[in-house]
Amino acid sequence: MQSRFVRSVAVALAVCLVVPGLWARVQPSHGFNLFSAQEENQAGQQAAADVAKQLPLLPESDPVTKYVQKLGQDLVAHAPGEKWAYTFRVVNQKEINAFALPGGPIFVNVGTIQAADNEAQLAGVMAHEISHVVQRHGTRAASKQMAAQLPLAILGGVMGKGALSQMAQLGISFGVGSYFLKNSRSAESEADLLGTDIMYDAGFDPRQMAVFFAKLEEEGGSRGPQFLSDHPNPGNRAQAVSKEVSTLPRKSSYRGDSAEFKQIKQRVASLKPLTAEQIAAQQKQANSGVSSIAPSTSTKAFSHSAYQIVYPENWQVFGDQSSAVTIAPQSGVSQNAIAYGVMISAYQPEGNSTTLDQATKDLLASMRQSNPDLRQIGNGETIRVNGVSSRSIDLIGSSPIKDDSGKVLQERDWLVTMKRRDGSLLYLVFIAPDKDFASLRPTFENMLKSVTLK
Ligand code: ZN
């Protein structure tokens, strides 16, 4: 019995060795995703443009960039699934890190190249990033978040305008420091496994990827953690990679370091990349003088199918005339939430004969479902907005902004609801950190005074 089993395994192995294509490769998994391929590309392109503004990139013409691009394309040739528009840029940053944006833009820090002992380790980091693109991890995470927030965002509104406008409405972005560039442990497992196959097919020893990640973990210290915070160890990283390698046909040797890699290692050794702190300081300096939150005195009007509103000219409208809308300073919409600005949407109360007061209470209850720490201050009051009876309620919650010591700021939310002719509510939530609310209040009041229902 035993010998027949051994024999049949041997036959199976022989078949696979003759026809290497029969060996199973990790297939891209298709999790829940609200983004079309086109939207995925667009979101990534927008974020890549922001990255180019915020991080010091080595020029396209730099030999280090050219080398990384060539190595990247070498690996991409073995990436399964959709043919994304992969691009590679090197960030002149000291910390060891790399990240991938939706649809293909990949960024590798100089510190990563400095830390790689051999070409396979650098290829490992890049194959891992390519795998995040293949598996669409960024948009999958954003989709999950959007689905969790949708009950609030679509409250009686007419969203469904595609993932990008929903994303803008929710203030979700993939820019520098975005929450959605931090990968979950399950995303990390997937990227490790697929990265193993890509490396293997490109001729590298995939175990070098795990060796490099383990090295970062051992080093800890000041240069490793950033990579590990964006790409957390899913546990048994090295074992999982070895296990995947064991399912692939054994190779007697792998690619050694190229002559270019050796040259590039010399070149990066002479570079003086900036630390994250230095980059942040430069950004701060570049932004100073441009008070990006402060509303300009000149105004603009926005005409929605349900209302019209006047707002400061230097703020932006996210959304369109048939969707829920956020009007905010560009820098007031950060990461995955709105820190400064106003959100305007509609709410359909249960039962048409409900009073404004009752409908407002129902709306508040549903807002609290997605924002459990939202608390009402006082009882609210009835006001008139251009002759329309409205409810005004002050709320406090948690701001998406943290202070210098990392403490979450308290947020003031001023909710105003008004009943439309069809019985639905139009509501506005004016948002600012508590410390800044008073200075923005006149702007918010002017905006409210300008609201006319259609
Ligand atoms: Zn990762």
Side-chain angles (χ1 to χ4, degrees), residues 268-300:
V268 294
S270 67
L271 289 178
K272 293 251 177 307
L274 304 172
T275 63
E277 231 167 72
Q278 288 169 324
I279 294 169
Q282 282 188 354
Q283 271 297 312
K284 214 170 173 181
Q285 203 159 19
N287 291 335
S288 68
V290 190
S291 182
S292 44
I293 302 287
S296 59
T297 45
S298 43
T299 56
K300 252 182 172 166

Short mmCIF file of all heavy atoms in Angstrom, two decimals, residues 268-300:
data_model
loop_
_atom_site.label_atom_id
_atom_site.label_comp_id
_atom_site.label_asym_id
_atom_site.label_seq_id
_atom_site.Cartn_x
_atom_site.Cartn_y
_atom_site.Cartn_z
N VAL A 268 23.41 54.48 -3.00
CA VAL A 268 22.52 54.85 -1.88
C VAL A 268 23.30 55.01 -0.58
O VAL A 268 22.87 55.75 0.31
CB VAL A 268 21.33 53.87 -1.67
CG1 VAL A 268 20.38 53.91 -2.85
CG2 VAL A 268 21.80 52.46 -1.38
N ALA A 269 24.44 54.33 -0.48
CA ALA A 269 25.25 54.47 0.73
C ALA A 269 25.75 55.90 0.88
O ALA A 269 25.95 56.39 1.99
CB ALA A 269 26.42 53.49 0.70
N SER A 270 25.91 56.58 -0.27
CA SER A 270 26.43 57.95 -0.21
C SER A 270 25.30 58.98 -0.08
O SER A 270 25.55 60.16 0.13
CB SER A 270 27.25 58.25 -1.46
OG SER A 270 26.40 58.27 -2.59
N LEU A 271 24.05 58.55 -0.22
CA LEU A 271 22.92 59.49 -0.10
C LEU A 271 22.66 59.81 1.38
O LEU A 271 22.96 59.00 2.25
CB LEU A 271 21.65 58.89 -0.71
CG LEU A 271 21.58 58.76 -2.23
CD1 LEU A 271 20.27 58.09 -2.64
CD2 LEU A 271 21.70 60.12 -2.89
N LYS A 272 22.11 60.99 1.61
CA LYS A 272 21.72 61.35 2.98
C LYS A 272 20.20 61.54 2.99
O LYS A 272 19.72 62.68 2.96
CB LYS A 272 22.41 62.66 3.41
CG LYS A 272 23.92 62.58 3.54
CD LYS A 272 24.36 62.65 5.00
CE LYS A 272 25.86 62.50 5.18
NZ LYS A 272 26.42 61.30 4.55
N PRO A 273 19.46 60.43 3.03
CA PRO A 273 18.01 60.57 2.98
C PRO A 273 17.46 61.31 4.21
O PRO A 273 18.07 61.29 5.28
CB PRO A 273 17.51 59.13 2.93
CG PRO A 273 18.63 58.31 3.44
CD PRO A 273 19.90 59.04 3.14
N LEU A 274 16.31 61.95 4.04
CA LEU A 274 15.70 62.70 5.13
C LEU A 274 14.93 61.77 6.07
O LEU A 274 14.43 60.73 5.64
CB LEU A 274 14.71 63.73 4.55
CG LEU A 274 15.28 64.72 3.54
CD1 LEU A 274 14.15 65.53 2.90
CD2 LEU A 274 16.28 65.64 4.22
N THR A 275 14.84 62.18 7.31
CA THR A 275 14.01 61.41 8.24
C THR A 275 12.56 61.87 8.09
O THR A 275 12.29 62.95 7.55
CB THR A 275 14.43 61.65 9.70
OG1 THR A 275 14.21 63.04 9.99
CG2 THR A 275 15.89 61.30 9.93
N ALA A 276 11.63 61.05 8.57
CA ALA A 276 10.20 61.39 8.51
C ALA A 276 9.96 62.75 9.19
O ALA A 276 9.17 63.56 8.73
CB ALA A 276 9.38 60.30 9.19
N GLU A 277 10.69 62.97 10.30
CA GLU A 277 10.56 64.22 11.04
C GLU A 277 10.98 65.42 10.18
O GLU A 277 10.29 66.45 10.16
CB GLU A 277 11.46 64.16 12.26
CG GLU A 277 10.77 64.52 13.56
CD GLU A 277 11.65 64.12 14.74
OE1 GLU A 277 12.67 64.79 14.94
OE2 GLU A 277 11.31 63.13 15.41
N GLN A 278 12.11 65.27 9.50
CA GLN A 278 12.59 66.37 8.64
C GLN A 278 11.59 66.64 7.51
O GLN A 278 11.35 67.79 7.16
CB GLN A 278 13.97 66.01 8.05
CG GLN A 278 15.08 66.07 9.09
CD GLN A 278 16.38 65.47 8.55
OE1 GLN A 278 16.38 64.49 7.80
NE2 GLN A 278 17.51 66.05 8.93
N ILE A 279 11.03 65.58 6.95
CA ILE A 279 10.06 65.75 5.87
C ILE A 279 8.82 66.49 6.38
O ILE A 279 8.31 67.40 5.74
CB ILE A 279 9.67 64.38 5.25
CG1 ILE A 279 10.89 63.76 4.55
CG2 ILE A 279 8.50 64.52 4.27
CD1 ILE A 279 10.73 62.32 4.15
N ALA A 280 8.38 66.10 7.58
CA ALA A 280 7.20 66.75 8.16
C ALA A 280 7.48 68.23 8.40
O ALA A 280 6.63 69.09 8.15
CB ALA A 280 6.81 66.05 9.46
N ALA A 281 8.69 68.54 8.89
CA ALA A 281 9.06 69.94 9.16
C ALA A 281 9.07 70.75 7.86
O ALA A 281 8.59 71.89 7.82
CB ALA A 281 10.43 70.01 9.84
N GLN A 282 9.59 70.14 6.79
CA GLN A 282 9.60 70.83 5.49
C GLN A 282 8.18 71.11 5.00
O GLN A 282 7.89 72.17 4.46
CB GLN A 282 10.31 69.96 4.45
CG GLN A 282 11.82 70.00 4.56
CD GLN A 282 12.49 69.29 3.39
OE1 GLN A 282 11.83 68.67 2.57
NE2 GLN A 282 13.81 69.37 3.34
N GLN A 283 7.32 70.11 5.19
CA GLN A 283 5.92 70.27 4.77
C GLN A 283 5.26 71.42 5.52
O GLN A 283 4.54 72.22 4.94
CB GLN A 283 5.13 68.97 5.06
CG GLN A 283 5.18 67.99 3.93
CD GLN A 283 4.52 68.53 2.68
OE1 GLN A 283 3.42 69.07 2.73
NE2 GLN A 283 5.18 68.43 1.55
N LYS A 284 5.53 71.46 6.82
CA LYS A 284 4.94 72.48 7.68
C LYS A 284 5.36 73.87 7.19
O LYS A 284 4.55 74.78 7.10
CB LYS A 284 5.38 72.26 9.13
CG LYS A 284 4.31 72.63 10.14
CD LYS A 284 4.73 72.15 11.52
CE LYS A 284 3.78 72.66 12.58
NZ LYS A 284 4.19 72.22 13.92
N GLN A 285 6.65 73.96 6.86
CA GLN A 285 7.18 75.23 6.40
C GLN A 285 6.53 75.62 5.06
O GLN A 285 6.15 76.77 4.86
CB GLN A 285 8.68 75.11 6.21
CG GLN A 285 9.38 76.44 6.28
CD GLN A 285 10.86 76.25 6.61
OE1 GLN A 285 11.40 75.15 6.44
NE2 GLN A 285 11.50 77.28 7.07
N ALA A 286 6.38 74.63 4.18
CA ALA A 286 5.79 74.90 2.86
C ALA A 286 4.35 75.37 3.00
O ALA A 286 3.86 76.17 2.21
CB ALA A 286 5.87 73.65 2.01
N ASN A 287 3.67 74.85 4.04
CA ASN A 287 2.26 75.20 4.21
C ASN A 287 2.03 76.47 5.01
O ASN A 287 0.94 77.00 5.04
CB ASN A 287 1.50 74.06 4.89
CG ASN A 287 1.40 72.84 3.99
OD1 ASN A 287 1.46 72.97 2.78
ND2 ASN A 287 1.26 71.68 4.58
N SER A 288 3.08 76.91 5.73
CA SER A 288 2.86 78.06 6.58
C SER A 288 2.65 79.30 5.71
O SER A 288 3.17 79.40 4.62
CB SER A 288 4.04 78.27 7.53
OG SER A 288 5.16 78.66 6.78
N GLY A 289 1.86 80.21 6.21
CA GLY A 289 1.54 81.38 5.40
C GLY A 289 0.26 81.14 4.61
O GLY A 289 -0.52 82.04 4.39
N VAL A 290 0.01 79.91 4.22
CA VAL A 290 -1.25 79.59 3.55
C VAL A 290 -2.14 78.98 4.61
O VAL A 290 -2.05 77.80 4.92
CB VAL A 290 -1.03 78.54 2.43
CG1 VAL A 290 -2.27 78.38 1.59
CG2 VAL A 290 0.17 78.89 1.59
N SER A 291 -2.96 79.80 5.21
CA SER A 291 -3.86 79.26 6.21
C SER A 291 -4.97 78.55 5.44
O SER A 291 -5.88 79.15 4.91
CB SER A 291 -4.43 80.36 7.08
OG SER A 291 -5.25 79.77 8.05
N SER A 292 -4.83 77.24 5.39
CA SER A 292 -5.68 76.48 4.46
C SER A 292 -7.08 76.23 5.00
O SER A 292 -7.96 75.85 4.26
CB SER A 292 -5.00 75.18 4.12
OG SER A 292 -4.48 74.61 5.31
N ILE A 293 -7.27 76.42 6.31
CA ILE A 293 -8.61 76.20 6.87
C ILE A 293 -9.41 77.50 6.83
O ILE A 293 -10.58 77.51 6.51
CB ILE A 293 -8.51 75.73 8.34
CG1 ILE A 293 -7.70 74.43 8.46
CG2 ILE A 293 -9.89 75.56 8.97
CD1 ILE A 293 -8.35 73.19 7.96
N ALA A 294 -8.73 78.61 7.16
CA ALA A 294 -9.43 79.89 7.30
C ALA A 294 -10.26 80.22 6.06
O ALA A 294 -9.75 80.20 4.95
CB ALA A 294 -8.42 80.99 7.56
N PRO A 295 -11.53 80.50 6.27
CA PRO A 295 -12.40 80.78 5.12
C PRO A 295 -12.09 82.14 4.51
O PRO A 295 -11.84 83.10 5.22
CB PRO A 295 -13.80 80.76 5.74
CG PRO A 295 -13.58 81.05 7.19
CD PRO A 295 -12.22 80.54 7.54
N SER A 296 -12.11 82.22 3.19
CA SER A 296 -11.92 83.52 2.55
C SER A 296 -13.23 84.30 2.67
O SER A 296 -14.30 83.72 2.86
CB SER A 296 -11.52 83.35 1.09
OG SER A 296 -12.50 82.62 0.39
N THR A 297 -13.14 85.63 2.57
CA THR A 297 -14.35 86.43 2.71
C THR A 297 -15.17 86.42 1.43
O THR A 297 -16.38 86.61 1.46
CB THR A 297 -14.02 87.89 3.09
OG1 THR A 297 -12.93 88.30 2.25
CG2 THR A 297 -13.61 88.00 4.54
N SER A 298 -14.52 86.18 0.29
CA SER A 298 -15.33 86.08 -0.93
C SER A 298 -16.01 84.72 -0.97
O SER A 298 -15.51 83.74 -0.41
CB SER A 298 -14.47 86.30 -2.17
OG SER A 298 -13.26 85.62 -2.03
N THR A 299 -17.16 84.69 -1.59
CA THR A 299 -17.99 83.49 -1.52
C THR A 299 -18.36 82.98 -2.91
O THR A 299 -18.18 83.66 -3.92
CB THR A 299 -19.29 83.78 -0.75
OG1 THR A 299 -19.95 84.87 -1.40
CG2 THR A 299 -19.02 84.10 0.69
N LYS A 300 -18.91 81.80 -2.90
CA LYS A 300 -19.37 81.13 -4.10
C LYS A 300 -20.70 80.49 -3.75
O LYS A 300 -20.94 80.17 -2.59
CB LYS A 300 -18.40 79.98 -4.41
CG LYS A 300 -17.49 80.18 -5.59
CD LYS A 300 -16.70 78.90 -5.70
CE LYS A 300 -15.87 78.81 -6.93
NZ LYS A 300 -14.88 77.72 -6.81
#
